[in-house]
Amino acid sequence: MKGFAGPDGQKFDAALGLDAQHQPVLLPAAESKPTTATDPGQIPCPVCKLGTMLRGSSAYGCSRFREDCQFRVPFAWGGKELTDTQLKQLLRRGETGVIKGFVSAKTGKKYDAALKVDEGRVVPVFG
Ligand SMILES: [Zn+2]
């Protein structure tokens, strides 16, 4: 839990627990067990919702790739290196803003598009 306001008005993070008399008490965050669920660095898989996205050498891939989820997002798409910000927007929100300068593999022409996750694939969205 986050955002409790202390007596001095300072916000602090804490977990709720029970003391020896079974009264609810606030446990300071430092004494509660760390959990990976609240790790801000972890990005849940937008496709299976069960795995987390792991950063590989050339793509983000779902941690459940050995099971049933083949979702991956290459760092380079459409002839362009995506920034970490763009990759995280795509993974966290399911889409990016418009990205300029993709190159069509068919025609060699440059084009601008947003990217979104659609049925487990990364697809361009044209405004
Ligand atoms: Zn997945």
Side-chain angles (χ1 to χ4, degrees), residues 7-106:
D8 56 0
Q10 291 280 79
K11 291 266 178 84
F12 66 97
D13 296 337
L16 275 177
L18 293 174
D19 68 11
Q21 285 79 45
H22 300 286
Q23 297 297 312
V25 292
L26 284 172
L27 305 174
E31 291 178 21
S32 60
K33 285 182 187 151
T35 62
T36 52
T38 56
D39 181 346
Q42 296 234 336
I43 304 173
C45 173
V47 175
C48 70
K49 321 278 192 207
L50 296 171
T52 51
M53 299 307 292
L54 304 175
R55 192 186 172 94
S57 57
S58 64
Y60 275 100
C62 179
S63 63
R64 288 171 56 81
F65 68 96
R66 284 183 209 283
E67 286 134 271
D68 53 6
C69 187
Q70 303 302 312
F71 182 60
R72 61 200 294 281
V73 177
F75 296 157
W77 197 97
K80 195 176 157 60
E81 289 278 325
L82 302 178
T83 66
D84 213 48
T85 303
Q86 290 162 342
L87 288 164
K88 284 180 178 162
Q89 279 180 337
L90 186 60
L91 293 171
R92 288 186 188 279
R93 301 207 320 235
E95 62 183 10
T96 69
V98 172
I99 300 169
K100 293 177 188 266
F102 291 122
V103 180
S104 167
K106 283 182 193 157

Coordinates of all heavy atoms in Angstrom, one line a residue, residues 7-106:
P7 N 1.5 11.6 10.6 CA 1.0 12.8 11.5 C 1.6 14.1 11.0 O 1.0 15.1 11.2 CB 1.6 12.4 12.9 CG 2.0 11.0 12.8 CD 2.2 10.6 11.3
D8 N 2.8 14.1 10.4 CA 3.4 15.3 10.0 C 3.0 15.7 8.6 O 3.6 16.6 8.0 CB 4.9 15.2 10.2 CG 5.5 14.0 9.4 OD1 4.7 13.3 8.8 OD2 6.7 13.8 9.4
G9 N 2.1 14.9 8.0 CA 1.7 15.2 6.7 C 2.5 14.6 5.6 O 2.1 14.7 4.4
Q10 N 3.6 13.9 6.0 CA 4.4 13.3 5.0 C 3.8 12.0 4.5 O 3.3 11.2 5.3 CB 5.8 13.0 5.6 CG 6.6 14.2 5.9 CD 7.3 14.7 4.7 OE1 6.7 15.4 3.9 NE2 8.6 14.4 4.5
K11 N 3.8 11.8 3.2 CA 3.3 10.5 2.7 C 4.3 9.4 3.0 O 5.5 9.6 2.9 CB 3.1 10.6 1.2 CG 2.0 11.6 0.8 CD 0.7 10.8 0.6 CE -0.5 11.7 0.3 NZ -0.5 12.0 -1.2
F12 N 3.8 8.2 3.3 CA 4.8 7.1 3.5 C 4.1 5.9 3.0 O 2.8 5.8 2.9 CB 5.3 7.0 4.9 CG 4.2 6.6 5.9 CD1 4.0 5.2 6.3 CD2 3.4 7.5 6.5 CE1 3.1 4.9 7.2 CE2 2.4 7.2 7.4 CZ 2.2 5.9 7.8
D13 N 4.9 4.9 2.7 CA 4.3 3.6 2.2 C 4.4 2.6 3.3 O 5.3 2.5 4.1 CB 5.2 3.1 1.0 CG 5.1 4.0 -0.2 OD1 4.1 4.8 -0.2 OD2 6.0 4.0 -1.0
A14 N 3.3 1.8 3.4 CA 3.3 0.8 4.5 C 2.3 -0.3 4.1 O 1.5 -0.2 3.2 CB 2.8 1.4 5.8
A15 N 2.4 -1.4 4.8 CA 1.5 -2.5 4.7 C 0.6 -2.6 5.9 O 1.1 -2.2 7.0 CB 2.2 -3.8 4.4
L16 N -0.6 -3.1 5.8 CA -1.4 -3.3 7.0 C -1.2 -4.7 7.5 O -1.1 -5.7 6.8 CB -2.9 -3.2 6.6 CG -3.5 -1.8 6.5 CD1 -5.0 -2.0 6.1 CD2 -3.5 -1.2 7.9
G17 N -1.0 -4.8 8.9 CA -0.8 -6.1 9.5 C -1.6 -6.1 10.8 O -2.3 -5.2 11.1
L18 N -1.5 -7.2 11.5 CA -2.1 -7.3 12.8 C -1.1 -7.4 13.9 O -0.1 -8.1 13.8 CB -3.0 -8.6 12.9 CG -4.2 -8.6 11.9 CD1 -4.9 -10.0 12.0 CD2 -5.2 -7.5 12.3
D19 N -1.3 -6.7 15.0 CA -0.3 -6.8 16.1 C -0.7 -8.0 17.0 O -1.6 -8.7 16.8 CB -0.2 -5.5 16.8 CG -1.4 -5.1 17.6 OD1 -2.3 -6.0 17.8 OD2 -1.5 -4.0 18.1
A20 N 0.0 -8.1 18.1 CA -0.2 -9.3 19.0 C -1.6 -9.3 19.6 O -2.1 -10.4 19.9 CB 0.8 -9.2 20.2
Q21 N -2.3 -8.1 19.7 CA -3.6 -8.1 20.2 C -4.6 -8.2 19.1 O -5.8 -7.9 19.2 CB -3.9 -6.8 21.0 CG -3.3 -6.8 22.4 CD -1.8 -6.5 22.4 OE1 -1.3 -5.6 21.7 NE2 -1.0 -7.3 23.1
H22 N -4.2 -8.6 17.9 CA -5.0 -8.7 16.7 C -5.7 -7.4 16.3 O -6.8 -7.4 15.8 CB -6.0 -9.8 16.9 CG -5.4 -11.1 17.1 ND1 -4.8 -11.8 16.1 CD2 -5.2 -11.9 18.2 CE1 -4.3 -13.0 16.6 NE2 -4.5 -13.0 17.9
Q23 N -5.0 -6.3 16.6 CA -5.5 -5.0 16.2 C -4.7 -4.6 14.9 O -3.5 -4.9 14.8 CB -5.2 -3.9 17.3 CG -5.9 -4.2 18.6 CD -7.4 -4.1 18.4 OE1 -7.9 -3.2 17.8 NE2 -8.1 -5.1 19.0
P24 N -5.4 -4.0 14.0 CA -4.7 -3.6 12.7 C -3.6 -2.6 13.1 O -3.8 -1.7 13.8 CB -5.8 -3.0 11.9 CG -7.1 -3.4 12.5 CD -6.8 -3.7 13.9
V25 N -2.5 -2.8 12.5 CA -1.4 -1.9 12.7 C -0.7 -1.6 11.3 O -0.9 -2.4 10.4 CB -0.3 -2.4 13.6 CG1 -0.8 -2.5 15.0 CG2 0.3 -3.7 13.2
L26 N -0.1 -0.5 11.2 CA 0.6 -0.2 10.0 C 2.1 -0.7 10.1 O 2.7 -0.4 11.1 CB 0.6 1.3 9.7 CG -0.7 1.9 9.2 CD1 -0.6 3.4 9.2 CD2 -1.0 1.4 7.8
L27 N 2.5 -1.5 9.2 CA 3.9 -1.9 9.2 C 4.6 -1.0 8.2 O 4.3 -0.9 7.0 CB 4.0 -3.4 8.7 CG 3.1 -4.4 9.5 CD1 3.2 -5.7 8.8 CD2 3.6 -4.5 10.9
P28 N 5.7 -0.4 8.7 CA 6.5 0.4 7.7 C 7.0 -0.5 6.5 O 7.2 -1.7 6.7 CB 7.7 0.8 8.5 CG 7.2 0.7 10.0 CD 6.2 -0.4 10.0
A29 N 7.0 0.1 5.4 CA 7.3 -0.7 4.1 C 8.7 -1.4 4.3 O 8.8 -2.5 3.7 CB 7.3 0.2 2.9
A30 N 9.6 -0.8 5.0 CA 10.9 -1.4 5.0 C 10.9 -2.8 5.8 O 11.7 -3.6 5.5 CB 11.9 -0.5 5.8
E31 N 9.9 -3.0 6.6 CA 9.8 -4.2 7.4 C 8.9 -5.3 6.7 O 8.9 -6.4 7.1 CB 9.3 -4.0 8.8 CG 10.3 -3.2 9.6 CD 9.8 -2.9 11.0 OE1 8.9 -3.6 11.5 OE2 10.3 -1.9 11.6
S32 N 8.2 -4.8 5.7 CA 7.3 -5.8 5.0 C 8.2 -6.5 3.9 O 9.2 -6.0 3.5 CB 6.1 -5.1 4.4 OG 6.5 -4.2 3.5
K33 N 7.7 -7.7 3.6 CA 8.5 -8.5 2.6 C 8.5 -7.8 1.2 O 7.4 -7.4 0.8 CB 8.0 -9.9 2.5 CG 8.3 -10.7 3.8 CD 7.8 -12.1 3.6 CE 8.0 -12.9 4.9 NZ 6.9 -13.9 5.0
P34 N 9.6 -7.8 0.6 CA 9.6 -7.3 -0.8 C 8.8 -8.2 -1.7 O 8.9 -9.5 -1.5 CB 11.1 -7.2 -1.2 CG 11.7 -8.2 -0.3 CD 10.9 -8.2 1.0
T35 N 8.1 -7.7 -2.6 CA 7.4 -8.5 -3.6 C 7.7 -8.1 -5.0 O 7.9 -6.9 -5.2 CB 5.8 -8.4 -3.4 OG1 5.4 -7.1 -3.6 CG2 5.4 -8.8 -2.0
T36 N 7.7 -9.0 -5.9 CA 8.0 -8.6 -7.3 C 6.8 -8.0 -7.9 O 6.9 -7.3 -8.9 CB 8.4 -9.9 -8.1 OG1 7.4 -10.9 -7.9 CG2 9.8 -10.4 -7.6
A37 N 5.6 -8.2 -7.3 CA 4.3 -7.8 -7.9 C 4.3 -6.2 -8.0 O 3.7 -5.7 -8.9 CB 3.1 -8.3 -7.2
T38 N 5.0 -5.6 -7.1 CA 4.9 -4.1 -7.1 C 6.2 -3.5 -7.7 O 6.4 -2.3 -7.6 CB 4.7 -3.6 -5.7 OG1 5.7 -4.1 -4.8 CG2 3.3 -4.0 -5.2
D39 N 7.1 -4.4 -8.2 CA 8.3 -3.8 -8.8 C 8.0 -3.0 -10.0 O 7.5 -3.5 -11.0 CB 9.2 -5.0 -9.1 CG 10.5 -4.6 -9.7 OD1 10.7 -3.4 -10.1 OD2 11.4 -5.4 -9.8
P40 N 8.3 -1.7 -10.0 CA 7.9 -0.9 -11.1 C 8.7 -1.2 -12.4 O 8.3 -0.8 -13.5 CB 8.3 0.5 -10.6 CG 9.3 0.3 -9.6 CD 9.0 -1.0 -8.9
G41 N 9.8 -2.0 -12.2 CA 10.5 -2.4 -13.4 C 9.9 -3.5 -14.2 O 10.3 -3.8 -15.3
Q42 N 8.9 -4.2 -13.6 CA 8.3 -5.4 -14.2 C 7.1 -4.9 -15.1 O 6.2 -4.2 -14.6 CB 7.8 -6.3 -13.2 CG 8.9 -6.9 -12.3 CD 8.9 -8.4 -12.4 OE1 7.9 -9.0 -12.6 NE2 10.1 -9.0 -12.1
I43 N 7.1 -5.4 -16.3 CA 6.0 -5.1 -17.2 C 5.2 -6.3 -17.5 O 5.7 -7.3 -18.0 CB 6.5 -4.5 -18.5 CG1 7.5 -3.3 -18.3 CG2 5.4 -4.2 -19.5 CD1 8.2 -2.8 -19.5
P44 N 3.9 -6.3 -17.1 CA 3.1 -7.5 -17.3 C 2.9 -7.8 -18.8 O 2.8 -6.8 -19.6 CB 1.8 -7.3 -16.6 CG 1.8 -5.8 -16.3 CD 3.2 -5.3 -16.3
C45 N 2.8 -9.0 -19.2 CA 2.6 -9.3 -20.6 C 1.2 -8.8 -21.0 O 0.2 -9.2 -20.4 CB 2.7 -10.8 -20.9 SG 2.3 -11.3 -22.5
P46 N 1.1 -8.0 -22.1 CA -0.2 -7.5 -22.4 C -1.1 -8.5 -23.2 O -2.3 -8.3 -23.4 CB 0.1 -6.3 -23.4 CG 1.4 -6.6 -23.9 CD 2.2 -7.4 -22.9
V47 N -0.5 -9.6 -23.5 CA -1.2 -10.6 -24.3 C -1.8 -11.7 -23.4 O -3.0 -11.9 -23.3 CB -0.4 -11.2 -25.4 CG1 -1.1 -12.3 -26.1 CG2 0.0 -10.1 -26.4
C48 N -1.0 -12.4 -22.6 CA -1.5 -13.5 -21.8 C -1.8 -13.0 -20.4 O -2.5 -13.6 -19.7 CB -0.5 -14.6 -21.7 SG 1.0 -14.3 -20.8
K49 N -1.4 -11.8 -20.0 CA -1.6 -11.2 -18.7 C -1.0 -11.9 -17.5 O -1.2 -11.6 -16.4 CB -3.1 -11.0 -18.4 CG -3.9 -10.6 -19.6 CD -3.9 -9.1 -19.8 CE -5.0 -8.7 -20.8 NZ -4.6 -7.5 -21.6
L50 N -0.3 -13.0 -17.8 CA 0.2 -13.9 -16.7 C 1.7 -13.7 -16.6 O 2.3 -13.8 -15.5 CB -0.1 -15.3 -17.0 CG -1.6 -15.7 -16.9 CD1 -1.9 -17.1 -17.4 CD2 -2.2 -15.5 -15.6
G51 N 2.4 -13.6 -17.8 CA 3.8 -13.5 -17.8 C 4.3 -12.1 -17.6 O 3.4 -11.2 -17.4
T52 N 5.6 -11.9 -17.5 CA 6.1 -10.6 -17.4 C 7.1 -10.5 -18.6 O 7.6 -11.5 -19.1 CB 6.9 -10.3 -16.1 OG1 7.8 -11.4 -15.9 CG2 6.0 -10.2 -15.0
M53 N 7.2 -9.3 -19.1 CA 8.1 -9.0 -20.3 C 9.5 -9.0 -19.8 O 9.9 -8.3 -18.9 CB 7.7 -7.7 -21.0 CG 6.2 -7.7 -21.5 SD 5.8 -9.1 -22.5 CE 6.8 -8.8 -24.0
L54 N 10.3 -9.8 -20.5 CA 11.7 -9.9 -20.2 C 12.5 -9.2 -21.3 O 12.2 -9.4 -22.5 CB 12.2 -11.4 -20.0 CG 11.4 -12.2 -19.0 CD1 11.9 -13.7 -19.1 CD2 11.6 -11.7 -17.6
R55 N 13.5 -8.5 -20.9 CA 14.3 -7.8 -21.9 C 15.4 -8.7 -22.4 O 16.3 -9.1 -21.6 CB 15.0 -6.5 -21.2 CG 15.6 -5.6 -22.2 CD 16.3 -4.5 -21.5 NE 17.0 -3.7 -22.5 CZ 16.5 -2.6 -23.1 NH1 15.4 -2.1 -22.8 NH2 17.2 -2.0 -24.1
G56 N 15.4 -9.1 -23.6 CA 16.4 -9.9 -24.2 C 17.5 -9.1 -24.9 O 17.5 -7.9 -24.7
S57 N 18.3 -9.8 -25.8 CA 19.3 -9.0 -26.5 C 18.8 -8.2 -27.7 O 19.3 -7.2 -28.0 CB 20.4 -10.0 -26.9 OG 19.8 -11.0 -27.8
S58 N 17.7 -8.7 -28.2 CA 17.1 -8.0 -29.4 C 15.6 -7.7 -29.3 O 15.1 -7.2 -30.3 CB 17.5 -8.7 -30.7 OG 16.8 -10.0 -30.7
A59 N 15.0 -8.2 -28.3 CA 13.5 -8.0 -28.2 C 13.1 -8.2 -26.7 O 13.8 -8.8 -25.9 CB 12.8 -9.1 -29.0
Y60 N 11.9 -7.6 -26.4 CA 11.2 -8.0 -25.2 C 10.4 -9.2 -25.5 O 9.8 -9.3 -26.5 CB 10.3 -6.8 -24.8 CG 10.9 -5.7 -23.9 CD1 11.2 -4.5 -24.5 CD2 11.1 -5.9 -22.6 CE1 11.8 -3.5 -23.8 CE2 11.6 -4.9 -21.8 CZ 12.0 -3.7 -22.4 OH 12.5 -2.7 -21.7
G61 N 10.4 -10.2 -24.6 CA 9.7 -11.4 -24.8 C 8.9 -11.8 -23.5 O 9.4 -11.4 -22.4
C62 N 7.8 -12.5 -23.7 CA 7.0 -12.9 -22.5 C 7.8 -14.0 -21.8 O 8.3 -14.9 -22.4 CB 5.7 -13.4 -23.0 SG 4.6 -13.9 -21.6
S63 N 7.7 -13.9 -20.4 CA 8.3 -14.9 -19.6 C 7.7 -16.3 -19.8 O 8.2 -17.3 -19.4 CB 8.3 -14.5 -18.1 OG 7.0 -14.4 -17.6
R64 N 6.5 -16.3 -20.3 CA 5.8 -17.6 -20.5 C 6.0 -18.2 -21.9 O 5.2 -19.0 -22.4 CB 4.3 -17.5 -20.3 CG 4.0 -17.3 -18.8 CD 2.5 -16.9 -18.6 NE 1.6 -17.8 -19.2 CZ 1.2 -19.0 -18.6 NH1 1.7 -19.3 -17.5 NH2 0.4 -19.8 -19.3
F65 N 7.2 -17.8 -22.5 CA 7.4 -18.3 -23.9 C 7.6 -19.8 -24.0 O 7.3 -20.4 -25.0 CB 8.6 -17.6 -24.5 CG 10.0 -17.9 -23.9 CD1 10.7 -18.9 -24.5 CD2 10.4 -17.3 -22.7 CE1 12.0 -19.3 -23.9 CE2 11.6 -17.7 -22.1 CZ 12.4 -18.7 -22.7
R66 N 8.0 -20.4 -22.9 CA 8.1 -21.9 -22.9 C 6.7 -22.6 -22.8 O 6.6 -23.7 -23.0 CB 9.0 -22.4 -21.8 CG 10.5 -22.1 -22.0 CD 11.3 -22.7 -20.9 NE 12.5 -22.0 -20.7 CZ 13.6 -22.1 -21.4 NH1 13.6 -23.0 -22.4 NH2 14.7 -21.4 -21.2
E67 N 5.8 -21.8 -22.3 CA 4.4 -22.4 -22.1 C 3.6 -22.1 -23.4 O 3.7 -22.8 -24.3 CB 3.8 -21.8 -20.8 CG 4.5 -22.5 -19.6 CD 4.9 -21.5 -18.5 OE1 6.0 -21.0 -18.6 OE2 4.0 -21.3 -17.7
D68 N 2.8 -21.0 -23.3 CA 1.9 -20.8 -24.4 C 1.9 -19.4 -25.0 O 1.0 -19.1 -25.8 CB 0.5 -21.2 -23.9 CG 0.1 -20.4 -22.7 OD1 0.9 -19.5 -22.2 OD2 -0.9 -20.7 -22.1
C69 N 2.9 -18.6 -24.6 CA 2.8 -17.2 -25.1 C 4.0 -16.9 -26.0 O 5.1 -16.9 -25.5 CB 2.7 -16.3 -23.9 SG 2.4 -14.6 -24.4
Q70 N 3.8 -16.6 -27.2 CA 4.8 -16.3 -28.1 C 5.0 -14.8 -28.3 O 5.8 -14.4 -29.2 CB 4.5 -16.9 -29.5 CG 4.3 -18.4 -29.5 CD 5.5 -19.1 -28.9 OE1 6.6 -18.9 -29.3 NE2 5.2 -20.0 -27.9
F71 N 4.4 -14.0 -27.5 CA 4.5 -12.5 -27.7 C 5.9 -12.0 -27.5 O 6.5 -12.3 -26.5 CB 3.5 -11.8 -26.8 CG 3.5 -10.3 -27.0 CD1 3.1 -9.8 -28.2 CD2 3.8 -9.5 -25.9 CE1 3.1 -8.4 -28.4 CE2 3.8 -8.1 -26.1 CZ 3.4 -7.6 -27.4
R72 N 6.3 -11.3 -28.5 CA 7.6 -10.6 -28.3 C 7.6 -9.3 -29.1 O 6.8 -9.2 -30.1 CB 8.8 -11.5 -28.7 CG 8.8 -11.9 -30.1 CD 9.7 -13.1 -30.3 NE 11.1 -12.8 -30.1 CZ 11.9 -12.2 -31.0 NH1 11.5 -11.9 -32.1 NH2 13.2 -12.0 -30.7
V73 N 8.4 -8.3 -28.6 CA 8.4 -7.0 -29.3 C 9.9 -6.8 -29.7 O 10.7 -6.5 -28.8 CB 7.9 -5.9 -28.4 CG1 8.0 -4.6 -29.1 CG2 6.4 -6.2 -28.1
P74 N 10.3 -6.8 -30.9 CA 11.7 -6.5 -31.3 C 12.0 -5.1 -31.0 O 11.2 -4.2 -31.2 CB 11.7 -6.9 -32.8 CG 10.3 -6.8 -33.2 CD 9.4 -7.1 -32.1
F75 N 13.3 -4.9 -30.7 CA 13.7 -3.5 -30.4 C 13.7 -2.7 -31.7 O 13.5 -1.4 -31.7 CB 15.1 -3.4 -29.8 CG 15.2 -4.1 -28.5 CD1 16.5 -4.6 -28.1 CD2 14.1 -4.2 -27.7 CE1 16.6 -5.2 -26.8 CE2 14.3 -4.9 -26.4 CZ 15.5 -5.3 -26.0
A76 N 13.9 -3.3 -32.8 CA 13.8 -2.6 -34.1 C 12.6 -3.1 -34.9 O 12.3 -4.3 -34.9 CB 15.1 -3.0 -34.9
W77 N 11.8 -2.1 -35.4 CA 10.6 -2.4 -36.1 C 10.5 -1.4 -37.2 O 10.8 -0.2 -37.1 CB 9.4 -2.2 -35.1 CG 8.1 -2.8 -35.6 CD1 7.7 -4.1 -35.3 CD2 7.2 -2.3 -36.5 NE1 6.5 -4.3 -35.9 CE2 6.2 -3.3 -36.7 CE3 7.1 -1.1 -37.3 CZ2 5.1 -3.0 -37.6 CZ3 6.1 -0.9 -38.1 CH2 5.1 -1.9 -38.3
G78 N 10.1 -1.9 -38.4 CA 9.9 -1.1 -39.6 C 11.2 -0.3 -40.0 O 11.2 0.8 -40.4
G79 N 12.3 -1.0 -39.8 CA 13.6 -0.4 -40.2 C 14.1 0.6 -39.3 O 15.0 1.4 -39.6
K80 N 13.5 0.7 -38.1 CA 13.9 1.8 -37.1 C 14.1 1.2 -35.7 O 13.3 0.3 -35.3 CB 12.7 2.7 -37.1 CG 13.0 4.1 -36.5 CD 11.8 5.0 -36.6 CE 11.8 6.1 -35.6 NZ 13.0 6.9 -35.6
E81 N 15.1 1.7 -35.0 CA 15.3 1.3 -33.6 C 14.2 2.0 -32.8 O 14.2 3.2 -32.8 CB 16.7 1.6 -33.2 CG 17.8 0.8 -33.7 CD 18.0 -0.5 -33.0 OE1 17.8 -0.6 -31.8 OE2 18.3 -1.5 -33.7
L82 N 13.5 1.3 -32.0 CA 12.5 1.9 -31.1 C 13.2 2.3 -29.8 O 14.1 1.6 -29.4 CB 11.4 1.0 -30.8 CG 10.6 0.4 -32.0 CD1 9.5 -0.5 -31.6 CD2 10.0 1.6 -32.8
T83 N 12.8 3.4 -29.2 CA 13.4 3.8 -28.0 C 12.8 3.0 -26.9 O 11.7 2.4 -27.0 CB 13.2 5.3 -27.7 OG1 11.8 5.5 -27.5 CG2 13.6 6.2 -28.8
D84 N 13.5 3.0 -25.7 CA 13.0 2.2 -24.6 C 11.6 2.8 -24.1 O 10.7 2.1 -23.7 CB 14.0 2.3 -23.4 CG 14.0 1.1 -22.6 OD1 14.0 0.0 -23.2 OD2 13.9 1.2 -21.4
T85 N 11.5 4.1 -24.3 CA 10.2 4.8 -23.9 C 9.1 4.3 -24.8 O 8.0 4.0 -24.4 CB 10.3 6.3 -24.1 OG1 11.4 6.8 -23.2 CG2 9.1 7.0 -23.6
Q86 N 9.4 4.2 -26.1 CA 8.3 3.7 -27.0 C 8.0 2.3 -26.8 O 6.8 1.9 -26.8 CB 8.9 3.9 -28.5 CG 8.9 5.4 -28.9 CD 9.8 5.6 -30.1 OE1 10.6 4.8 -30.5 NE2 9.6 6.8 -30.7
L87 N 9.0 1.5 -26.5 CA 8.8 0.1 -26.2 C 7.9 -0.1 -25.0 O 7.0 -0.9 -24.9 CB 10.1 -0.7 -26.0 CG 10.9 -0.9 -27.3 CD1 12.4 -1.2 -26.9 CD2 10.3 -2.0 -28.2
K88 N 8.2 0.7 -23.9 CA 7.4 0.6 -22.7 C 6.0 1.1 -22.9 O 5.1 0.6 -22.3 CB 8.2 1.3 -21.6 CG 9.3 0.5 -21.1 CD 10.1 1.1 -20.0 CE 11.2 0.1 -19.5 NZ 12.3 0.7 -18.8
Q89 N 5.8 2.2 -23.7 CA 4.5 2.6 -24.0 C 3.7 1.5 -24.6 O 2.5 1.3 -24.3 CB 4.5 3.8 -24.9 CG 4.8 5.2 -24.3 CD 4.8 6.3 -25.3 OE1 5.0 6.0 -26.5 NE2 4.6 7.5 -24.9
L90 N 4.3 0.9 -25.6 CA 3.6 -0.2 -26.3 C 3.3 -1.3 -25.4 O 2.1 -1.9 -25.4 CB 4.6 -0.7 -27.4 CG 4.1 -1.7 -28.4 CD1 2.9 -1.2 -29.1 CD2 5.2 -2.1 -29.4
L91 N 4.1 -1.7 -24.4 CA 3.9 -2.8 -23.5 C 2.9 -2.4 -22.4 O 2.1 -3.2 -22.0 CB 5.2 -3.3 -22.9 CG 6.2 -3.9 -24.0 CD1 7.5 -4.2 -23.3 CD2 5.6 -5.2 -24.5
R92 N 3.0 -1.2 -21.9 CA 2.2 -0.8 -20.7 C 0.8 -0.4 -21.2 O -0.2 -0.6 -20.5 CB 2.9 0.3 -19.9 CG 4.1 -0.2 -19.1 CD 4.6 0.9 -18.2 NE 5.9 0.6 -17.6 CZ 6.0 -0.2 -16.5 NH1 4.9 -0.7 -16.0 NH2 7.2 -0.4 -16.0
R93 N 0.8 0.4 -22.3 CA -0.5 1.0 -22.7 C -1.1 0.3 -23.9 O -2.3 0.5 -24.2 CB -0.3 2.5 -23.1 CG 0.2 3.4 -22.0 CD -0.2 4.8 -22.2 NE -0.2 5.2 -23.6 CZ 0.5 6.2 -24.1 NH1 1.1 7.0 -23.3 NH2 0.4 6.5 -25.4
G94 N -0.3 -0.6 -24.5 CA -0.8 -1.3 -25.7 C -0.6 -0.5 -27.0 O -1.0 -1.0 -28.0
E95 N -0.1 0.7 -26.9 CA 0.1 1.5 -28.1 C 1.1 2.6 -27.8 O 1.3 3.0 -26.7 CB -1.2 2.1 -28.6 CG -1.8 3.1 -27.6 CD -3.2 3.6 -28.2 OE1 -3.7 3.1 -29.2 OE2 -3.7 4.5 -27.5
T96 N 1.7 3.1 -28.9 CA 2.6 4.3 -28.8 C 2.0 5.5 -29.4 O 0.9 5.4 -30.0 CB 3.9 4.0 -29.5 OG1 3.6 4.0 -30.9 CG2 4.5 2.6 -29.1
G97 N 2.6 6.6 -29.2 CA 2.3 7.8 -30.0 C 2.8 7.6 -31.4 O 3.4 6.6 -31.7
V98 N 2.5 8.5 -32.3 CA 3.0 8.4 -33.7 C 4.5 8.5 -33.7 O 5.1 9.4 -33.0 CB 2.4 9.6 -34.5 CG1 3.1 9.6 -35.9 CG2 0.9 9.4 -34.7
I99 N 5.1 7.5 -34.4 CA 6.6 7.5 -34.5 C 6.9 7.8 -36.0 O 6.3 7.2 -36.9 CB 7.1 6.1 -34.1 CG1 6.7 5.8 -32.6 CG2 8.6 6.0 -34.3 CD1 7.0 4.3 -32.2
K100 N 7.8 8.7 -36.1 CA 8.2 9.1 -37.5 C 9.4 8.3 -38.0 O 10.3 7.9 -37.3 CB 8.5 10.6 -37.5 CG 7.3 11.5 -37.2 CD 7.7 12.9 -37.2 CE 6.6 13.8 -36.7 NZ 5.8 14.4 -37.7
G101 N 9.4 8.1 -39.3 CA 10.6 7.6 -40.0 C 10.7 6.1 -40.2 O 11.8 5.6 -40.4
F102 N 9.6 5.4 -40.1 CA 9.6 4.0 -40.5 C 9.9 3.9 -42.0 O 9.5 4.8 -42.7 CB 8.3 3.2 -40.2 CG 8.0 3.1 -38.7 CD1 6.9 3.6 -38.1 CD2 8.9 2.4 -37.9 CE1 6.6 3.5 -36.8 CE2 8.7 2.2 -36.5 CZ 7.6 2.8 -36.0
V103 N 10.4 2.8 -42.4 CA 10.7 2.6 -43.8 C 10.0 1.3 -44.3 O 10.1 0.3 -43.7 CB 12.2 2.4 -44.1 CG1 12.5 2.2 -45.6 CG2 13.0 3.6 -43.6
S104 N 9.2 1.5 -45.3 CA 8.4 0.4 -45.8 C 9.3 -0.7 -46.4 O 10.2 -0.4 -47.3 CB 7.4 0.8 -46.9 OG 6.9 -0.3 -47.6
A105 N 9.2 -1.9 -46.0 CA 10.0 -3.0 -46.6 C 9.7 -3.2 -48.0 O 10.5 -3.7 -48.8 CB 9.8 -4.3 -45.8
K106 N 8.5 -2.9 -48.4 CA 8.0 -3.2 -49.8 C 8.5 -2.1 -50.8 O 9.0 -2.3 -51.8 CB 6.5 -3.2 -49.9 CG 6.0 -4.6 -49.4 CD 4.4 -4.6 -49.5 CE 3.9 -5.7 -48.7 NZ 2.5 -5.5 -48.4

